[in-house]
Amino acid sequence: MVSYIYISKLSALCFTMLLSLSMTAQTETGDVLIKNGTVITITDGVKEDTDVLIRNGKISKIGSDLSAREGTKTIDAEGKFVMPGIIDAHSHIALDVVNEATAPNTAMVAVGDALDPYDVGVYRALAGGVTISHAMHGSANAVGGQCETIKHRYGVTDPEDMRMDGAPRTIKFALGENPMRVHGENNDIVPSTRMGVEQVFRKSFADAQVYMAAQENYKKGISKMPPKYDERNEVMADILRGDIIIHCHSYRADEILMLMDVLGDYGVSKITFQHVNEGFKVAPELAEFGAAASVFADWWAYKFEVYYSTAFNAAILSRNGVVTSINSDSGELIRHLYHEAGKSQRYGKLTDNEALRLITINPAIQLGIDDRVGSIEEGKEGDIAIFSAHPLSIYAVPEMTIVDGVVRFDINNDPDDMRIWVDPKEDFSDTYEGNEEHHDCSNDRCMQGVFINGHAVHSHHR
Amino acid sequence: MNIKIYILGLLVFCISWTQAQQVTPSESGAFILKNGTVHTVTKGTMTGDVLIKDGKIADVGANIVAADATEVDCTGKHIYPGMIDGMTRLGLEEIGAVSLTRDFNELGDFNPHMKALTAVNPGSVSIPVTRTNGVTSVIAAPTGGLFSGQASLINLHGYTPQQMYAGFTAVIMNFPSSGKRGRWDRRSAEDIKKDADKAAKKLNGIWDKAQDYARMDSIAQATGAVKEGYNPQMEALLSTAQGNASMMIRVNKKQDILNAIEWVQEREIKAIFVGVAEGWRVAKELAEANIPCVVGPVLGMPTRGYDRYDRPYKNPGVMQQAGVKVAIMTNDSENVRNLPFNAGFAATYGMGKEEALKAVTIVPAEIFGLADQLGSIEAGKVANLFVSDGDPFETKTQITDLFIEGWKVPIESRHTLLYEEFIKRSPGLE
């Protein structure tokens, strides 16, 4: 009995130590009082002339005439619009590498091992009101690597401080042309067709089931040896157990239906389809399955599988009850996701709230973090964006972005050069980067690091 | 009965999939737009009517009587001139990743004789997608090499390139860059310099020859002598070399812009600069040189890691306020429809609504020498205009009516047709 208590005390101590360790990794939180703004809560209407108090990085109170303890930073938001920090469910900023394009299934790798807190793209995203992004593996493989949900704590230099601690694990899947091109067309291995892509998933899940059964048999003493440890199977098994959310690069209706079939057969239900340009064609099926959709506002025609697209995709999906978000997949677009969300009003007449859900609570749901962020509610994390006008107006300017109660972007305190790291050998007169970023996921960062016929697939090869 | 339904269904199927972009035919005739807020751009804003006849704006004013014209009630609505995009690949590219549908970049470096208008596909699905956002004319331009070819201004309605042609053509040149072409550019500093010198030498050599050819041509014209040694490239450069036609020169980097100013001034070339991403760095010099600029995309990335995030947003405004004549472009193909939003960002970040509207209407018309035909709502001009329920830069606004060369064009595209089909998909879940 005594020893039991001792052990539990010890483990409690260990837990506290671990917690304090993770707290230091969690970096700083702050206190902010935002006064007299028009507060767009997303989940509880729009509140005029309202204060929001953030304490220790959490929203502690929403109301009028709030006061804060002495020394709290106070922001006058009169005439301004206060909304939850914008969330991008598909991006590749803050990553050193994007694709492990060496096999049709690379579930064992994780982009979380390649975080780059120095990427000035993170600051540029903050300057567009974006506080959280889903840093994704690329789309070269049917089963790509695991992704990382990051908070835009620009200024930290430890990659660990970028992670959103406790966010559910996610993994990239990919359908259609990209895995077919990289593996079939380029390396002469399956998949070179959408039939082949299906079989990669079926084989991967079946292998994982065998692996799990072998582990179970060992645990029960039925077999004397455990199966040889295999990280790929471990990850696939965690997907089968429901511990990992799938985010699947997809375009065509047929391939979307195929993956839902496969997942249905294996009892997997947590899935967000990414891009999903033909999602509008199978919106009722997506809604019935409970699958979510993360789409572009208007990208299309950059490759054949997005030729039959419509910019009304987000509206059709939303009206069918599919949890829908608008993402960037681009260091350029991530700077104006509020404008991208606005396009759902030109194309489909979504209401203000429906349009803003596309970049706040809906991507939060898709990343499994909606209990913590995505709306302005007491108890949620202090991630806030303040705009000069209604954020869906073309005339709105993002003026301040707050992460965990810490002001990370302030238009009134905003030097030109916001890089944290500068190459000492750099010739300043000669660093023109041009408008090299193009809107093209076939050749964009989704395919970064992929070599085809000996040539890197670069964003400038449109 | 069943057969009838079947045939009807088949017909609908054929129509929507052969055209797949415009089911309702465009209408011609006289139209009277009644009682709208008319944003003339050049002569202020007023409430009134616009009469469209024979493809032209016949009258603008209050209480116009036109009994034979079809009335379009514009009460509570806004009437704007059609927007003009100063540089695109619209009609020249159908599917980005399918190379055989890309008709804008011919082999070789020296292609001034390649004509974009030849390759403009009037059936491109992107054309209706673009015009239904109020963009009625665009420059369709070739890319690549030192001389890419000839760009043409087209109206976004018609069955042949000739029907679409809007009266302006210019040779496109890419001014040789002295610096890195992007982050992927791994050349050493020496190699970059060597390449730049080589390119400059090549360019100067070509231009010397073009001027010789032009002199030879003038002599031949004057004396009636037979001109020998027909050269299609040089022939294409003739009117530019003689100073009769403008040349569109793509140039972005600060130093390249300065070099390009010097280069065109020395040779007395009528130049239009295109891109001009770092124009804000040399706005004064551009204004002094009096070179009009087609700037964009506004929704683009800063050109250097150490530049402010909003430089591309502010670029058109900074240049315009320094005295440069600025038009805005998307430089896009399938998403030229974002032109009003590029203008909206420019407006928000310093240019102001009024100037930004001019930068997508009258200013490009002026730059292309067509200010008497396009770019504003004035009697006698081509009837390129649209009706909206609000500010066309705002994403919430709907474009309700569209006129191109007097044709009433339906607000239909692949995107709207797919919406109508799938917003109430039938069968649904069965």
Side-chain angles (χ1 to χ4, degrees), chain B residues 336-364:
Chain B
V336 175
R337 60 178 161 186
N338 286 333
L339 182 66
F341 307 142
N342 276 261
F345 264 70
T348 304
Y349 285 85
M351 200 176 202
K353 273 191 214 188
E354 200 181 325
E355 291 301 328
L357 180 60
K358 286 183 185 169
V360 290
T361 53
I362 191 67
V363 173

PDB file of all heavy atoms in Angstrom, chain B residues 336-364:
ATOM      1  N   VAL B 336      -7.928  35.539 -64.281  1.00  0.00           N
ATOM      2  CA  VAL B 336      -7.938  36.966 -64.619  1.00  0.00           C
ATOM      3  C   VAL B 336      -9.154  37.628 -63.967  1.00  0.00           C
ATOM      4  O   VAL B 336      -9.184  38.833 -63.751  1.00  0.00           O
ATOM      5  CB  VAL B 336      -7.953  37.146 -66.153  1.00  0.00           C
ATOM      6  CG1 VAL B 336      -8.077  38.605 -66.543  1.00  0.00           C
ATOM      7  CG2 VAL B 336      -6.678  36.558 -66.760  1.00  0.00           C
ATOM      8  N   ARG B 337     -10.141  36.803 -63.605  1.00  0.00           N
ATOM      9  CA  ARG B 337     -11.330  37.324 -62.911  1.00  0.00           C
ATOM     10  C   ARG B 337     -10.976  38.039 -61.607  1.00  0.00           C
ATOM     11  O   ARG B 337     -11.817  38.731 -61.041  1.00  0.00           O
ATOM     12  CB  ARG B 337     -12.297  36.180 -62.612  1.00  0.00           C
ATOM     13  CG  ARG B 337     -11.704  35.102 -61.725  1.00  0.00           C
ATOM     14  CD  ARG B 337     -12.725  34.024 -61.412  1.00  0.00           C
ATOM     15  NE  ARG B 337     -12.073  32.789 -60.953  1.00  0.00           N
ATOM     16  CZ  ARG B 337     -12.715  31.662 -60.728  1.00  0.00           C
ATOM     17  NH1 ARG B 337     -14.008  31.605 -60.903  1.00  0.00           N
ATOM     18  NH2 ARG B 337     -12.078  30.582 -60.333  1.00  0.00           N
ATOM     19  N   ASN B 338      -9.754  37.838 -61.110  1.00  0.00           N
ATOM     20  CA  ASN B 338      -9.359  38.510 -59.877  1.00  0.00           C
ATOM     21  C   ASN B 338      -8.865  39.937 -60.095  1.00  0.00           C
ATOM     22  O   ASN B 338      -8.426  40.590 -59.144  1.00  0.00           O
ATOM     23  CB  ASN B 338      -8.287  37.698 -59.133  1.00  0.00           C
ATOM     24  CG  ASN B 338      -8.895  36.466 -58.469  1.00  0.00           C
ATOM     25  OD1 ASN B 338     -10.079  36.469 -58.131  1.00  0.00           O
ATOM     26  ND2 ASN B 338      -8.103  35.422 -58.298  1.00  0.00           N
ATOM     27  N   LEU B 339      -8.955  40.445 -61.322  1.00  0.00           N
ATOM     28  CA  LEU B 339      -8.519  41.823 -61.594  1.00  0.00           C
ATOM     29  C   LEU B 339      -9.188  42.848 -60.663  1.00  0.00           C
ATOM     30  O   LEU B 339      -8.492  43.685 -60.081  1.00  0.00           O
ATOM     31  CB  LEU B 339      -8.764  42.186 -63.067  1.00  0.00           C
ATOM     32  CG  LEU B 339      -8.307  43.599 -63.463  1.00  0.00           C
ATOM     33  CD1 LEU B 339      -6.784  43.728 -63.376  1.00  0.00           C
ATOM     34  CD2 LEU B 339      -8.792  43.965 -64.865  1.00  0.00           C
ATOM     35  N   PRO B 340     -10.525  42.795 -60.481  1.00  0.00           N
ATOM     36  CA  PRO B 340     -11.122  43.789 -59.577  1.00  0.00           C
ATOM     37  C   PRO B 340     -10.595  43.681 -58.149  1.00  0.00           C
ATOM     38  O   PRO B 340     -10.508  44.691 -57.445  1.00  0.00           O
ATOM     39  CB  PRO B 340     -12.627  43.483 -59.629  1.00  0.00           C
ATOM     40  CG  PRO B 340     -12.742  42.129 -60.254  1.00  0.00           C
ATOM     41  CD  PRO B 340     -11.549  41.974 -61.136  1.00  0.00           C
ATOM     42  N   PHE B 341     -10.203  42.489 -57.736  1.00  0.00           N
ATOM     43  CA  PHE B 341      -9.712  42.330 -56.366  1.00  0.00           C
ATOM     44  C   PHE B 341      -8.265  42.831 -56.255  1.00  0.00           C
ATOM     45  O   PHE B 341      -7.858  43.376 -55.230  1.00  0.00           O
ATOM     46  CB  PHE B 341      -9.841  40.875 -55.909  1.00  0.00           C
ATOM     47  CG  PHE B 341     -11.235  40.321 -56.087  1.00  0.00           C
ATOM     48  CD1 PHE B 341     -11.448  39.014 -56.503  1.00  0.00           C
ATOM     49  CD2 PHE B 341     -12.347  41.129 -55.869  1.00  0.00           C
ATOM     50  CE1 PHE B 341     -12.738  38.517 -56.687  1.00  0.00           C
ATOM     51  CE2 PHE B 341     -13.633  40.647 -56.047  1.00  0.00           C
ATOM     52  CZ  PHE B 341     -13.829  39.328 -56.459  1.00  0.00           C
ATOM     53  N   ASN B 342      -7.493  42.658 -57.319  1.00  0.00           N
ATOM     54  CA  ASN B 342      -6.155  43.262 -57.353  1.00  0.00           C
ATOM     55  C   ASN B 342      -6.283  44.781 -57.267  1.00  0.00           C
ATOM     56  O   ASN B 342      -5.537  45.434 -56.532  1.00  0.00           O
ATOM     57  CB  ASN B 342      -5.418  42.878 -58.641  1.00  0.00           C
ATOM     58  CG  ASN B 342      -4.722  41.526 -58.546  1.00  0.00           C
ATOM     59  OD1 ASN B 342      -3.524  41.449 -58.312  1.00  0.00           O
ATOM     60  ND2 ASN B 342      -5.462  40.448 -58.704  1.00  0.00           N
ATOM     61  N   ALA B 343      -7.231  45.332 -58.001  1.00  0.00           N
ATOM     62  CA  ALA B 343      -7.447  46.780 -57.954  1.00  0.00           C
ATOM     63  C   ALA B 343      -7.923  47.195 -56.564  1.00  0.00           C
ATOM     64  O   ALA B 343      -7.509  48.230 -56.044  1.00  0.00           O
ATOM     65  CB  ALA B 343      -8.465  47.187 -59.019  1.00  0.00           C
ATOM     66  N   GLY B 344      -8.775  46.366 -55.957  1.00  0.00           N
ATOM     67  CA  GLY B 344      -9.276  46.662 -54.611  1.00  0.00           C
ATOM     68  C   GLY B 344      -8.156  46.722 -53.586  1.00  0.00           C
ATOM     69  O   GLY B 344      -8.132  47.611 -52.727  1.00  0.00           O
ATOM     70  N   PHE B 345      -7.224  45.793 -53.671  1.00  0.00           N
ATOM     71  CA  PHE B 345      -6.084  45.830 -52.740  1.00  0.00           C
ATOM     72  C   PHE B 345      -5.234  47.074 -52.990  1.00  0.00           C
ATOM     73  O   PHE B 345      -4.776  47.719 -52.042  1.00  0.00           O
ATOM     74  CB  PHE B 345      -5.242  44.548 -52.839  1.00  0.00           C
ATOM     75  CG  PHE B 345      -5.616  43.535 -51.800  1.00  0.00           C
ATOM     76  CD1 PHE B 345      -6.824  42.867 -51.877  1.00  0.00           C
ATOM     77  CD2 PHE B 345      -4.773  43.261 -50.723  1.00  0.00           C
ATOM     78  CE1 PHE B 345      -7.189  41.944 -50.898  1.00  0.00           C
ATOM     79  CE2 PHE B 345      -5.133  42.349 -49.741  1.00  0.00           C
ATOM     80  CZ  PHE B 345      -6.343  41.682 -49.826  1.00  0.00           C
ATOM     81  N   ALA B 346      -5.012  47.414 -54.252  1.00  0.00           N
ATOM     82  CA  ALA B 346      -4.254  48.632 -54.566  1.00  0.00           C
ATOM     83  C   ALA B 346      -4.971  49.845 -53.985  1.00  0.00           C
ATOM     84  O   ALA B 346      -4.336  50.738 -53.396  1.00  0.00           O
ATOM     85  CB  ALA B 346      -4.084  48.774 -56.073  1.00  0.00           C
ATOM     86  N   ALA B 347      -6.305  49.869 -54.108  1.00  0.00           N
ATOM     87  CA  ALA B 347      -7.102  50.978 -53.572  1.00  0.00           C
ATOM     88  C   ALA B 347      -6.907  51.097 -52.065  1.00  0.00           C
ATOM     89  O   ALA B 347      -6.642  52.181 -51.539  1.00  0.00           O
ATOM     90  CB  ALA B 347      -8.579  50.770 -53.906  1.00  0.00           C
ATOM     91  N   THR B 348      -7.011  49.960 -51.379  1.00  0.00           N
ATOM     92  CA  THR B 348      -6.908  49.938 -49.919  1.00  0.00           C
ATOM     93  C   THR B 348      -5.523  50.369 -49.448  1.00  0.00           C
ATOM     94  O   THR B 348      -5.382  51.062 -48.450  1.00  0.00           O
ATOM     95  CB  THR B 348      -7.193  48.513 -49.401  1.00  0.00           C
ATOM     96  OG1 THR B 348      -8.475  48.120 -49.882  1.00  0.00           O
ATOM     97  CG2 THR B 348      -7.157  48.445 -47.895  1.00  0.00           C
ATOM     98  N   TYR B 349      -4.519  49.954 -50.183  1.00  0.00           N
ATOM     99  CA  TYR B 349      -3.142  50.221 -49.751  1.00  0.00           C
ATOM    100  C   TYR B 349      -2.567  51.438 -50.479  1.00  0.00           C
ATOM    101  O   TYR B 349      -1.497  51.378 -51.061  1.00  0.00           O
ATOM    102  CB  TYR B 349      -2.279  48.977 -49.923  1.00  0.00           C
ATOM    103  CG  TYR B 349      -2.560  47.935 -48.857  1.00  0.00           C
ATOM    104  CD1 TYR B 349      -3.599  47.030 -48.995  1.00  0.00           C
ATOM    105  CD2 TYR B 349      -1.797  47.891 -47.684  1.00  0.00           C
ATOM    106  CE1 TYR B 349      -3.886  46.096 -48.000  1.00  0.00           C
ATOM    107  CE2 TYR B 349      -2.068  46.957 -46.690  1.00  0.00           C
ATOM    108  CZ  TYR B 349      -3.111  46.063 -46.856  1.00  0.00           C
ATOM    109  OH  TYR B 349      -3.378  45.159 -45.865  1.00  0.00           O
ATOM    110  N   GLY B 350      -3.311  52.530 -50.472  1.00  0.00           N
ATOM    111  CA  GLY B 350      -2.727  53.813 -50.854  1.00  0.00           C
ATOM    112  C   GLY B 350      -3.213  54.424 -52.151  1.00  0.00           C
ATOM    113  O   GLY B 350      -3.106  55.622 -52.346  1.00  0.00           O
ATOM    114  N   MET B 351      -3.737  53.635 -53.073  1.00  0.00           N
ATOM    115  CA  MET B 351      -4.083  54.217 -54.357  1.00  0.00           C
ATOM    116  C   MET B 351      -5.444  54.924 -54.317  1.00  0.00           C
ATOM    117  O   MET B 351      -5.679  55.877 -55.066  1.00  0.00           O
ATOM    118  CB  MET B 351      -4.107  53.120 -55.423  1.00  0.00           C
ATOM    119  CG  MET B 351      -3.981  53.652 -56.848  1.00  0.00           C
ATOM    120  SD  MET B 351      -3.896  52.307 -58.036  1.00  0.00           S
ATOM    121  CE  MET B 351      -3.120  53.136 -59.430  1.00  0.00           C
ATOM    122  N   GLY B 352      -6.316  54.452 -53.444  1.00  0.00           N
ATOM    123  CA  GLY B 352      -7.658  55.028 -53.369  1.00  0.00           C
ATOM    124  C   GLY B 352      -8.569  54.421 -54.421  1.00  0.00           C
ATOM    125  O   GLY B 352      -8.118  53.983 -55.484  1.00  0.00           O
ATOM    126  N   LYS B 353      -9.867  54.404 -54.130  1.00  0.00           N
ATOM    127  CA  LYS B 353     -10.846  53.754 -55.006  1.00  0.00           C
ATOM    128  C   LYS B 353     -10.859  54.340 -56.414  1.00  0.00           C
ATOM    129  O   LYS B 353     -10.894  53.616 -57.400  1.00  0.00           O
ATOM    130  CB  LYS B 353     -12.253  53.941 -54.432  1.00  0.00           C
ATOM    131  CG  LYS B 353     -12.672  52.893 -53.441  1.00  0.00           C
ATOM    132  CD  LYS B 353     -14.168  53.044 -53.163  1.00  0.00           C
ATOM    133  CE  LYS B 353     -14.474  52.686 -51.719  1.00  0.00           C
ATOM    134  NZ  LYS B 353     -15.906  52.629 -51.440  1.00  0.00           N
ATOM    135  N   GLU B 354     -10.857  55.665 -56.479  1.00  0.00           N
ATOM    136  CA  GLU B 354     -11.058  56.321 -57.761  1.00  0.00           C
ATOM    137  C   GLU B 354      -9.901  56.018 -58.720  1.00  0.00           C
ATOM    138  O   GLU B 354     -10.116  55.648 -59.879  1.00  0.00           O
ATOM    139  CB  GLU B 354     -11.163  57.829 -57.521  1.00  0.00           C
ATOM    140  CG  GLU B 354     -11.835  58.586 -58.632  1.00  0.00           C
ATOM    141  CD  GLU B 354     -11.873  60.088 -58.344  1.00  0.00           C
ATOM    142  OE1 GLU B 354     -12.010  60.479 -57.167  1.00  0.00           O
ATOM    143  OE2 GLU B 354     -11.735  60.852 -59.314  1.00  0.00           O
ATOM    144  N   GLU B 355      -8.684  56.169 -58.218  1.00  0.00           N
ATOM    145  CA  GLU B 355      -7.511  55.924 -59.057  1.00  0.00           C
ATOM    146  C   GLU B 355      -7.390  54.437 -59.423  1.00  0.00           C
ATOM    147  O   GLU B 355      -6.968  54.084 -60.519  1.00  0.00           O
ATOM    148  CB  GLU B 355      -6.242  56.411 -58.363  1.00  0.00           C
ATOM    149  CG  GLU B 355      -6.138  57.928 -58.241  1.00  0.00           C
ATOM    150  CD  GLU B 355      -6.165  58.647 -59.598  1.00  0.00           C
ATOM    151  OE1 GLU B 355      -5.671  58.076 -60.595  1.00  0.00           O
ATOM    152  OE2 GLU B 355      -6.698  59.768 -59.640  1.00  0.00           O
ATOM    153  N   ALA B 356      -7.750  53.569 -58.457  1.00  0.00           N
ATOM    154  CA  ALA B 356      -7.665  52.128 -58.727  1.00  0.00           C
ATOM    155  C   ALA B 356      -8.662  51.733 -59.824  1.00  0.00           C
ATOM    156  O   ALA B 356      -8.359  50.888 -60.673  1.00  0.00           O
ATOM    157  CB  ALA B 356      -7.921  51.335 -57.449  1.00  0.00           C
ATOM    158  N   LEU B 357      -9.829  52.364 -59.801  1.00  0.00           N
ATOM    159  CA  LEU B 357     -10.811  52.083 -60.855  1.00  0.00           C
ATOM    160  C   LEU B 357     -10.274  52.547 -62.213  1.00  0.00           C
ATOM    161  O   LEU B 357     -10.402  51.847 -63.219  1.00  0.00           O
ATOM    162  CB  LEU B 357     -12.148  52.770 -60.525  1.00  0.00           C
ATOM    163  CG  LEU B 357     -13.279  52.561 -61.536  1.00  0.00           C
ATOM    164  CD1 LEU B 357     -13.623  51.076 -61.678  1.00  0.00           C
ATOM    165  CD2 LEU B 357     -14.528  53.351 -61.147  1.00  0.00           C
ATOM    166  N   LYS B 358      -9.644  53.723 -62.212  1.00  0.00           N
ATOM    167  CA  LYS B 358      -9.045  54.207 -63.458  1.00  0.00           C
ATOM    168  C   LYS B 358      -7.959  53.246 -63.949  1.00  0.00           C
ATOM    169  O   LYS B 358      -7.797  53.053 -65.155  1.00  0.00           O
ATOM    170  CB  LYS B 358      -8.440  55.601 -63.243  1.00  0.00           C
ATOM    171  CG  LYS B 358      -9.472  56.703 -63.140  1.00  0.00           C
ATOM    172  CD  LYS B 358      -8.775  58.046 -63.003  1.00  0.00           C
ATOM    173  CE  LYS B 358      -9.802  59.157 -62.785  1.00  0.00           C
ATOM    174  NZ  LYS B 358      -9.161  60.422 -62.396  1.00  0.00           N
ATOM    175  N   ALA B 359      -7.221  52.655 -63.012  1.00  0.00           N
ATOM    176  CA  ALA B 359      -6.094  51.790 -63.376  1.00  0.00           C
ATOM    177  C   ALA B 359      -6.543  50.494 -64.051  1.00  0.00           C
ATOM    178  O   ALA B 359      -5.710  49.754 -64.597  1.00  0.00           O
ATOM    179  CB  ALA B 359      -5.250  51.485 -62.140  1.00  0.00           C
ATOM    180  N   VAL B 360      -7.846  50.209 -64.009  1.00  0.00           N
ATOM    181  CA  VAL B 360      -8.352  49.022 -64.719  1.00  0.00           C
ATOM    182  C   VAL B 360      -9.376  49.414 -65.786  1.00  0.00           C
ATOM    183  O   VAL B 360     -10.108  48.567 -66.305  1.00  0.00           O
ATOM    184  CB  VAL B 360      -8.949  47.969 -63.747  1.00  0.00           C
ATOM    185  CG1 VAL B 360      -7.842  47.332 -62.922  1.00  0.00           C
ATOM    186  CG2 VAL B 360     -10.007  48.581 -62.826  1.00  0.00           C
ATOM    187  N   THR B 361      -9.468  50.728 -66.085  1.00  0.00           N
ATOM    188  CA  THR B 361     -10.413  51.162 -67.123  1.00  0.00           C
ATOM    189  C   THR B 361      -9.744  52.170 -68.073  1.00  0.00           C
ATOM    190  O   THR B 361      -9.120  51.777 -69.048  1.00  0.00           O
ATOM    191  CB  THR B 361     -11.686  51.770 -66.483  1.00  0.00           C
ATOM    192  OG1 THR B 361     -11.306  52.798 -65.561  1.00  0.00           O
ATOM    193  CG2 THR B 361     -12.515  50.730 -65.771  1.00  0.00           C
ATOM    194  N   ILE B 362      -9.817  53.452 -67.727  1.00  0.00           N
ATOM    195  CA  ILE B 362      -9.366  54.469 -68.674  1.00  0.00           C
ATOM    196  C   ILE B 362      -7.838  54.492 -68.843  1.00  0.00           C
ATOM    197  O   ILE B 362      -7.340  54.739 -69.952  1.00  0.00           O
ATOM    198  CB  ILE B 362      -9.922  55.879 -68.294  1.00  0.00           C
ATOM    199  CG1 ILE B 362      -9.684  56.877 -69.431  1.00  0.00           C
ATOM    200  CG2 ILE B 362      -9.315  56.401 -67.002  1.00  0.00           C
ATOM    201  CD1 ILE B 362     -10.471  56.583 -70.702  1.00  0.00           C
ATOM    202  N   VAL B 363      -7.108  54.217 -67.773  1.00  0.00           N
ATOM    203  CA  VAL B 363      -5.643  54.297 -67.904  1.00  0.00           C
ATOM    204  C   VAL B 363      -5.096  53.245 -68.885  1.00  0.00           C
ATOM    205  O   VAL B 363      -4.345  53.587 -69.795  1.00  0.00           O
ATOM    206  CB  VAL B 363      -4.939  54.237 -66.529  1.00  0.00           C
ATOM    207  CG1 VAL B 363      -3.431  54.146 -66.701  1.00  0.00           C
ATOM    208  CG2 VAL B 363      -5.296  55.472 -65.710  1.00  0.00           C
ATOM    209  N   PRO B 364      -5.473  51.969 -68.746  1.00  0.00           N
ATOM    210  CA  PRO B 364      -4.990  51.032 -69.774  1.00  0.00           C
ATOM    211  C   PRO B 364      -5.463  51.425 -71.172  1.00  0.00           C
ATOM    212  O   PRO B 364      -4.717  51.278 -72.143  1.00  0.00           O
ATOM    213  CB  PRO B 364      -5.561  49.677 -69.343  1.00  0.00           C
ATOM    214  CG  PRO B 364      -6.559  49.952 -68.272  1.00  0.00           C
ATOM    215  CD  PRO B 364      -6.177  51.258 -67.665  1.00  0.00           C
TER     216      PRO B 364
END
